[in-house]
Amino acid sequence: MRRVAKRISETPKKSFGMYQKAAELGARGADLIHFELGKPYADTPGHIKQAAIDALLAGEVHYSDLRGTPELRKTLARKLNERNGIAASADDVLVTNGLTHASFAAFMALIDPGDEVILLEPYYPQHLGKIELAGARAVIAPLDAADDFTLKPALIEPAITPRTRMIVLVNPVNPTGRVYSREELQGLADLAIRHDLLVLSDEVYEDIVFDDHKHISIASLPGMAERTVTAFAFTKSYAMDGWRLGYAVAPSWAMAGMLKITANDATHVNTFIQAGARAAIEGPPEPLEDLVDEDRRKRDVVVRRLNQMPGVRCALPQGAIYAFPDISDFGLPSQVMAERILEEARVVVEAGSFYGPAGEGHLRICFGSESIERIEIGLDRLQAFFNGLWQAGAAGNGVGNG
Ligand SMILES: Cc1ncc(COP(=O)(O)O)c(C=O)c1O
């Protein structure tokens, strides 16, 4: 009687990274600086909250369309056409409980047990978990840190077998901060078309791009819309992580399958909060611009100061809310480093290896979830930690610059 389903018991147990360890320390009263979770620091803009409150008070409290309210889907279809270059009608859109539910519905609807799904490494660990829950096998295509994690078909093609069904793309990338260029995406698109593969494109950070970088949806490239499920969310762009609101756009045959999953699990997203989502897209652009400006300022401080620390080299993130500094000069596994930083510096960072072996030698530092003042305190603590470690190495104890 006391047994869980095989799909749970046979799925390798996932670690929660540093989050759980930090929560235990935090519960014991430790003053921690949180650079681990990608939780936006900003509050949800007021006009978005007000739209949801108005809808609630107006009685939008009942079951609605399984795919999402027609009004919201119309708004999203317009946005997809105008901003993403994806030709979509309201019926091609499914409103979901965050991006998490969009990708879950896609994996469950499109992947069979025994299929292989390619993950570009470093990968987002949740995707791995969901591929395994679907009974499929994740096949890793490692990108090269020494080549700025550039997306190259030659690194992906060897992972393709007759069982390969799908490639998962995250763009902009958590954890590396890369924003893929049109050329990189075209290389992946050519590969998908040549081998007749699906693409699941996670674009949760579509709006958080810096400098001259441009976010391009792979589904906008010729021949890709018919083989791509693109997943988006309100989570990062509008600081709406707790609202659990996302959406997917997919070709009609795939959407029919995803709808069947949704009809049997979430049913649909809360009716009145969808009014907030509509206000987010149709409202003034300033809140999003301010959020990205603030993230850019934080990125600049974090990267400048990391590069002043001994043994630390950090590339400038092009998008998303993560710095991914190289700490390989210390010669310590990144998990050991993250645990020592938590214990000794009271700063929570993620180990690069949490995102797969290609992330080893790095740490992931989220600059989006603390105030600038707390970020500075965290950086002071990291500076003291790395100074100490570097000097210890110079003194000949096997750690550091020797
Ligand atoms: C790459 C990526 N995909 C999906 C998610 C989850 O998005 P949501 O909270 O909308 O489910 C995150 C959250 O950090 C993420 O980094």
Side-chain angles (χ1 to χ4, degrees):
M1 185 272 285
R2 283 171 174 261
R3 75 177 160 78
V4 294
K6 285 202 182 83
R7 87 176 62 84
I8 302 296
S9 58
E10 290 178 359
T11 299
K13 196 163 176 290
K14 288 282 138 11
S15 129
F16 285 94
M18 294 302 292
Y19 175 74
Q20 215 156 17
K21 287 195 171 76
E24 285 158 20
L25 259 184
R28 282 190 263 131
D31 169 30
L32 303 176
I33 301 289
H34 291 279
F35 289 155
E36 82 283 28
L37 265 191
K39 186 169 84 174
Y41 175 70
D43 192 4
T44 303
H47 71 281
I48 298 176
K49 289 182 182 176
Q50 193 59 53
I53 292 167
D54 291 347
L56 181 59
L57 294 177
E60 290 188 34
V61 294
H62 299 294
Y63 289 137
S64 129
D65 191 317
L66 286 183
R67 292 166 298 179
T69 63
E71 297 78 17
L72 176 57
R73 286 186 294 110
K74 249 181 252 158
T75 295
L76 292 174
R78 196 163 52 243
K79 175 262 179 190
L80 287 164
N81 282 277
E82 287 171 6
R83 293 200 216 157
N84 301 99
I86 301 174
S89 74
D91 285 347
D92 301 322
V93 178
L94 175 67
V95 180
T96 59
N97 288 280
L99 190 142
T100 298
H101 184 235
S103 58
F104 181 78
F107 285 127
M108 286 297 161
L110 305 176
I111 301 300
D112 273 322
D115 283 346
E116 293 179 354
V117 179
I118 294 180
L119 281 184
L120 310 181
E121 193 184 75
Y123 51 73
Y124 175 59
Q126 256 206 11
H127 291 149
L128 178 60
K130 277 183 270 199
I131 292 165
E132 288 169 347
L133 271 181
R137 198 167 86 82
V139 177
I140 303 302
L143 303 184
D144 185 4
D147 193 24
D148 292 331
F149 298 107
T150 302
L151 187 53
K152 286 197 169 142
L155 297 175
I156 300 162
E157 199 145 24
I160 298 176
T161 76
R163 288 182 172 272
T164 308
R165 175 87 172 123
M166 178 189 271
I167 302 175
V168 179
L169 177 72
V170 178
N171 180 37
V173 186
N174 172 9
T176 64
R178 280 295 323 278
V179 176
Y180 292 128
S181 67
R182 184 173 292 278
E183 291 68 32
E184 287 173 293
L185 293 173
Q186 189 61 60
L188 186 69
D190 292 344
L191 205 62
I193 291 169
R194 195 160 66 245
H195 293 274
D196 195 23
L197 302 176
L198 298 172
V199 171
L200 171 64
S201 188
D202 174 336
E203 304 186 9
V204 76
Y205 297 102
E206 63 167 334
D207 292 313
I208 310 197
V209 287
F210 307 121
D211 313 321
D212 294 332
H213 296 282
K214 294 251 174 315
H215 167 259
I216 297 168
S217 289
I218 194 165
S220 69
L221 302 184
M224 287 307 290
E226 68 203 53
R227 61 180 66 249
T228 304
V229 176
T230 314
F232 301 92
F234 295 84
T235 305
K236 313 287 177 178
S237 306
Y238 303 97
M240 290 170 71
D241 40 315
W243 290 58
R244 312 308 304 132
L245 258 178
Y247 52 103
V249 56
S252 55
W253 65 270
M255 184 52 78
M258 291 168 64
L259 193 54
K260 207 161 181 176
I261 299 296
T262 303
N264 284 289
D265 63 4
T267 323
H268 69 70
V269 170
N270 310 27
T271 306
F272 55 87
I273 72 162
Q274 296 187 52
R278 226 175 128 215
I281 301 287
E282 291 185 346
E286 287 79 13
L288 172 57
E289 289 165 8
D290 292 348
L291 183 134
V292 177
D293 280 347
E294 182 70 5
D295 282 338
R296 183 187 302 108
R297 273 194 291 277
K298 289 176 175 175
R299 174 201 68 162
D300 289 347
V301 170
V302 166
V303 172
R304 178 175 51 76
R305 291 209 45 197
L306 283 172
N307 279 317
Q308 290 165 354
M309 298 178 196
V312 181
R313 282 166 287 145
C314 187
L316 198 61
Q318 301 167 343
I321 50 177
Y322 309 100
F324 203 56
D326 181 328
I327 42 99
S328 57
D329 279 0
F330 289 102
L332 288 174
S334 55
Q335 182 62 32
V336 172
M337 197 68 125
E339 286 175 15
R340 283 191 61 177
I341 290 172
L342 177 61
E343 289 294 330
E344 297 171 32
R346 293 294 193 245
V347 176
V348 200
V349 301
E350 285 295 357
S353 59
F354 185 51
Y355 309 93
E360 189 47 280
H362 292 75
L363 297 173
R364 192 194 75 164
I365 294 180
C366 176
F367 51 79
S369 55
E370 291 272 21
S371 67
I372 193 77
E373 293 77 19
R374 301 242 338 137
I375 286 176
E376 293 276 14
I377 295 170
L379 290 166
D380 290 345
R381 292 183 187 182
L382 285 178
Q383 173 95 55
F385 173 83
F386 284 119
N387 283 346
L389 198 60
W390 191 256
Q391 279 158 16
N397 67 357
V399 176
N401 62 0

